[in-house]
Structures are given as C-alpha cells and as structure tokens.
Amino acid sequence: MDIIKSTNKKIILGMVIIAISALMLGSVIGFFVTREVLKTQVLNQMIKEGYVDTNLATATSEDIIYGKSAYVKGELVNGSAILFDTSDATATSDVILQGKTAYVDGQLVIGTLPIISGQTINPSASATTITAAAFLKEDIIIKGDSNLISSNIRKGVKIFNIIGSYEGENNNED
C-alpha cells in the first residue's frame, strides 16, 4: 500500500510541476516538454517499484491458467487454460495404442501397443499365434466345420481335441 501512496504522490507532484512549467514557459511548449520528462521519470519509477508496462504483453486468456489473471495492454485478462496434474499417472508406452499420445508425469508418451485388425483363421496343420499385449480392433474368427465330429474321425485318432469313433469298413482285402 505504501508503494501505491508513494507512486500516487509522485504522479500528483508531476502534474503540479507540469502546471507550473506551463505557466512559466508558455502553456503549450512547457506542457509538452515537462510531460515528456515526467513520463519517462514516472515510468522508470513505476518499473523500479515493481509496476510493469503491459503494452507489449501478448498473452491471451488461453495462455493464462484458469483462475489466474494478468494485465495485457493495460486490460485485465482472466485465464481460461485448464491444466491437468499428471504426476500420478502410471501409463507406459506399451499400454497406449500405437500412434496415440498421452501425458504421464508431465511428459509426452507415444503409444507402442500394436493394433490387430480382424481376420479369419482356418484350421491347419500348424498353429496360428495371436500376439499377446496387443489391442484387438476387430473380431478374429476361427472357422469351424460341421463335419468335424467324432463319428467322422477314425477310431483312436484325435483331431482338434476330438477323439474319433469311426470304425468303418475294413477295405483291406486279403
């Protein structure tokens, strides 16, 4: 509060000096000369006391945190930027989808979790592996066959966990 009173007194004193100078030097010339001298002195004093000229400030409300304010070009600007505290986030790149980004503890993390598109798998003689630790984007279909039943598989033979029961005819001719 003392700074404000001190600055106000100096501004009033400057106005008095302008008035007296105008009378002594002639109203127009005295006014302009004194005004320029005082403008510089008052501005320097205000900066010295912690006041700042905001005419060069370029911040917008989006640049200032919500709930805070600042003076820009002499006008009070209320902040609208919403910041999030990510210090307790625990995600790692391998659990964020590939190509997606997130902030974890204030740092940008780029996802590496592979994305698997849908596919159809036909049973075959070799195994088909679906990669673990991946995001399944679409359904995976594993084909079935209505003929894959125990009565169609020779007795004692196991195909896809189905044990055959077909004994059939013996075509061996002696």
Side-chain angles (χ1 to χ4, degrees):
M1 196 62 145
D2 291 332
I3 293 173
I4 293 172
K5 287 181 183 178
S6 171
T7 302
N8 287 340
K9 286 179 185 177
K10 290 177 183 177
I11 292 172
I12 292 169
L13 178 62
M15 293 171 68
V16 170
I17 292 172
I18 289 174
I20 293 171
S21 298
L23 289 172
M24 292 175 60
L25 297 172
S27 60
V28 176
I29 296 172
F31 172 78
F32 284 111
V33 169
T34 309
R35 183 183 73 168
E36 290 305 310
V37 169
L38 284 175
K39 185 167 103 175
T40 303
Q41 289 177 347
V42 168
L43 179 60
N44 288 339
Q45 185 64 33
M46 289 176 73
I47 291 171
K48 180 180 174 185
E49 292 179 9
Y51 294 95
V52 178
D53 180 7
T54 64
N55 287 322
L56 299 177
T58 60
T60 64
S61 65
E62 293 84 14
D63 298 323
I64 303 167
I65 297 173
Y66 180 79
K68 302 290 183 178
S69 60
Y71 281 92
V72 178
K73 295 183 179 23
E75 298 290 324
L76 180 66
V77 177
N78 292 313
S80 64
I82 298 176
L83 302 179
F84 294 97
D85 178 10
T86 62
S87 63
D88 61 346
T90 59
T92 55
S93 63
D94 61 331
V95 296
I96 299 171
L97 288 179
Q98 189 172 25
K100 301 296 182 182
T101 59
Y103 283 89
V104 177
D105 199 15
Q107 299 295 314
L108 178 67
V109 177
I110 301 171
T112 60
L113 180 67
I115 299 170
I116 297 176
S117 293
Q119 54 186 293
T120 299
I121 299 172
N122 291 308
S124 67
S126 60
T128 301
T129 301
I130 300 171
T131 306
F135 175 75
L136 185 58
K137 182 177 177 181
E138 298 167 343
D139 292 341
I140 292 181
I141 298 168
I142 301 172
K143 287 219 168 192
D145 190 319
S146 61
N147 289 320
L148 185 59
I149 56 176
S150 114
S151 61
N152 289 338
I153 301 172
R154 187 175 69 200
K155 186 175 183 174
V157 174
K158 184 177 180 181
I159 299 177
F160 295 115
N161 279 340
I162 298 174
I163 300 172
S165 62
Y166 178 73
E167 294 188 46
E169 302 170 12
N170 189 349
N171 290 336
N172 288 340
E173 295 177 16
D174 292 329

